[in-house]
Amino acid sequence: MDENIVTLKGIGLTMYEAQAYVTLTSLISSTASEISEESQIPRSKIYDVLKELSKKNFIEIEDGRPLTYTVKSPVEVLTREKERLNSEIDDTITRLTNIYENGMSQVRAPIWRIYGVEKIISQELEIIKRAKNSINMRIGFLFEGEGESLVKALKNRNDLRINILASPTCYINDDEFDIISLFEDADIQIQKADIPFVKLIISDSKEMMHTYTKFSEDKRNVIPETAIGIWNKYEDIAKNYDDRFINQLKKLKKKNKN
């Protein structure tokens, strides 16, 4: 199937509507019978198809005997449809996120174990997206590609108070990785600290996730298949860890001033 037709069906056109529009982009302006012949849409269907395309503002109909159908620019039409779909998706994200967060708040024991590096990183990014006021992180190691994903997500949230305490470096695939420089180069607040081989992210003092993994015998590289995240939405526990984080941050800043 023509990939253009697949795309047009994906934004809401029927198969016949997509075929007719693609055909008209080459004919530019034509009669129903010509469009039917070129697109192989049955004549019994073509008038209804073109009428629907006109309603959806993909083509224009000019009076005459016979009627003439003129295609609208793909740039105009598809840009408009792209903006419409983006708006609808954004609205849907907002509605479903509210439903999701309300459902999460009803769970009696809001602690989950998350296995696998991809799922752990994905959950970290979701926590950042949901944050309303602050993100605090302790970074003792990073998985491959994780640092870049975190930087991208945090740069998109300049409305948040972001604080990070991190080991200066870690090893990824036997190569030394400069954690501090990665975040500093992106203008994200980070403080060098003595952090053990664990990772912690706290959002708004309300939810948090600890990440643990085993390391190679030389204590350099993580063993990805052993990674586990403990996602916790007990607010009292999250606030307790956040308070401890802030105290540690204050002590470090005071020490650095001296």
Side-chain angles (χ1 to χ4, degrees):
M1 186 185 297
D2 186 322
E3 61 183 354
N4 296 318
I5 290 175
V6 172
T7 299
L8 291 170
K9 286 183 65 183
I11 65 174
L13 297 190
T14 66
M15 173 66 82
Y16 282 162
E17 289 168 357
Q19 286 177 235
Y21 183 76
V22 169
T23 299
L24 260 178
T25 58
S26 60
L27 296 175
I28 308 300
S29 185
S30 194
T31 64
S33 59
E34 290 170 336
I35 297 167
S36 172
E37 183 177 349
E38 288 292 326
S39 64
Q40 298 185 332
I41 297 172
R43 288 202 175 196
S44 60
K45 302 285 187 180
I46 193 65
Y47 288 100
D48 287 339
V49 169
L50 293 170
K51 185 177 180 181
E52 285 302 310
L53 280 176
S54 176
K55 284 182 181 179
K56 293 176 180 178
N57 209 16
F58 277 70
I59 66 172
E60 293 179 341
I61 303 176
E62 299 176 22
D63 289 333
R65 289 178 177 269
L67 295 173
T68 302
Y69 301 87
T70 302
V71 72
K72 288 196 170 186
S73 161
V75 172
E76 172 193 344
V77 168
L78 295 181
T79 298
R80 181 193 70 220
E81 291 301 303
K82 182 180 178 182
E83 291 172 353
R84 176 184 63 79
L85 285 172
N86 284 342
S87 177
E88 289 180 1
I89 289 170
D90 286 343
D91 290 344
T92 301
I93 288 173
T94 299
R95 290 193 300 269
L96 292 181
T97 298
N98 287 336
I99 294 170
Y100 170 79
E101 291 184 344
N102 182 63
M104 291 295 293
S105 67
Q106 305 303 315
V107 177
R108 290 186 179 181
I111 297 179
W112 296 264
R113 285 175 292 186
I114 300 172
Y115 297 97
V117 171
E118 288 186 9
K119 290 181 180 179
I120 288 169
I121 295 174
S122 177
Q123 187 58 50
E124 288 173 342
L125 301 182
E126 284 297 321
I127 289 172
I128 291 170
K129 286 180 185 177
R130 284 195 296 272
K132 293 179 172 59
N133 300 301
S134 66
I135 286 289
N136 293 324
M137 295 189 70
R138 297 173 72 214
I139 300 176
F141 67 90
L142 288 169
F143 297 115
E144 184 176 5
E146 181 183 17
E148 292 80 1
S149 295
L150 289 172
V151 164
K152 183 177 179 181
L154 291 169
K155 284 184 70 175
N156 289 334
R157 294 304 313 271
N158 54 18
D159 56 318
L160 298 176
R161 296 189 308 276
I162 299 169
N163 291 295
I164 302 173
L165 300 177
S167 296
T169 61
C170 67
Y171 282 86
I172 298 176
N173 296 328
D174 279 325
D175 291 326
E176 190 172 21
F177 188 87
D178 192 330
I179 300 174
I180 303 298
S181 292
L182 175 70
F183 287 88
E184 283 185 340
D185 290 347
D187 294 324
I188 295 172
Q189 184 75 28
I190 189 167
Q191 294 276 338
K192 183 168 65 174
D194 183 17
I195 304 295
F197 289 147
V198 295
K199 193 144 40 68
L200 171 68
I201 179 170
I202 310 169
S203 167
D204 298 329
S205 294
K206 292 183 177 180
E207 70 172 307
M208 56 181 278
M209 188 166 77
H210 265 115
T211 302
Y212 308 91
T213 185
K214 290 184 179 180
F215 285 77
S216 57
E217 289 185 10
D218 58 10
K219 301 298 181 185
R220 286 169 49 137
N221 294 297
V222 301
I223 303 175
E225 58 269 24
T226 67
I228 180 172
I230 307 297
W231 178 28
N232 191 328
K233 292 199 72 174
Y234 276 114
E235 290 189 19
D236 289 346
I237 296 175
K239 187 172 188 313
N240 181 42
Y241 272 91
D242 214 22
D243 289 343
R244 289 164 59 187
F245 177 94
I246 296 300
N247 287 334
Q248 184 181 6
L249 180 63
K250 286 179 179 177
K251 288 178 181 178
L252 273 173
K253 288 183 174 180
K254 185 177 179 180
K255 181 180 178 182
N256 291 337
K257 283 182 180 179
N258 297 332

